[in-house]
Amino acid sequence: MQASSTREVAGEGGRAARKALMSSLEDTIIDIIAKTCSVERERITLDATLKDLDVHSLDAVQVLFEIEDRFDISVPERDDQYAAGTVRDLVEGVERLLAAKAAA
């Protein structure tokens, strides 16, 4: 039972660390969108799409460039990523890329 309890605590700590990372990551990406696209930060929610925020495709590409520079990652391009994807999808995608980078 001791080992199980230790794993549970480690799991809870891992979830807390992941949540803190996501919050920081969310804030950073929202800041990038706000600055790059001249959108009021208060308008940007995790459930908003870039289209909802009236972000044009060239500005969306600039957001990706800013994210790549900020986190030293390469964001793969998809044709449909701006039509349906939310800010949350973008945050989660960056989180996956950062995790893959850390594991490499």
Side-chain angles (χ1 to χ4, degrees):
M1 277 211 174
Q2 184 85 10
S4 176
S5 297
T6 303
R7 268 187 253 124
E8 288 173 14
V9 171
E12 290 170 9
R15 281 189 289 276
R18 183 175 179 270
K19 186 173 181 176
L21 171 68
M22 281 294 287
S23 178
S24 173
L25 188 61
E26 289 168 4
D27 286 340
T28 301
I29 290 175
I30 288 171
D31 287 343
I32 288 171
I33 294 168
K35 179 181 172 195
T36 303
C37 303
S38 300
V39 175
E40 292 177 14
R41 194 178 194 291
E42 296 76 32
R43 285 188 56 210
I44 304 170
T45 66
L46 292 175
D47 295 322
T49 65
L50 294 181
K51 186 176 180 178
D52 292 340
L53 299 170
D54 298 319
V55 173
H56 300 284
S57 60
L58 291 176
D59 289 332
V61 170
Q62 188 60 38
V63 167
L64 291 183
F65 289 153
E66 292 293 328
I67 289 170
E68 289 178 333
D69 288 346
R70 172 68 172 84
F71 296 105
D72 192 29
I73 58 174
S74 180
V75 177
E77 294 183 38
R78 289 188 357 238
D79 293 337
D80 65 341
Q81 68 189 10
Y82 305 111
T86 63
V87 173
R88 182 184 321 276
D89 295 334
L90 183 58
V91 169
E92 289 172 352
V94 170
E95 182 188 37
R96 284 189 299 272
L97 291 169
L98 290 172
K101 178 182 169 184

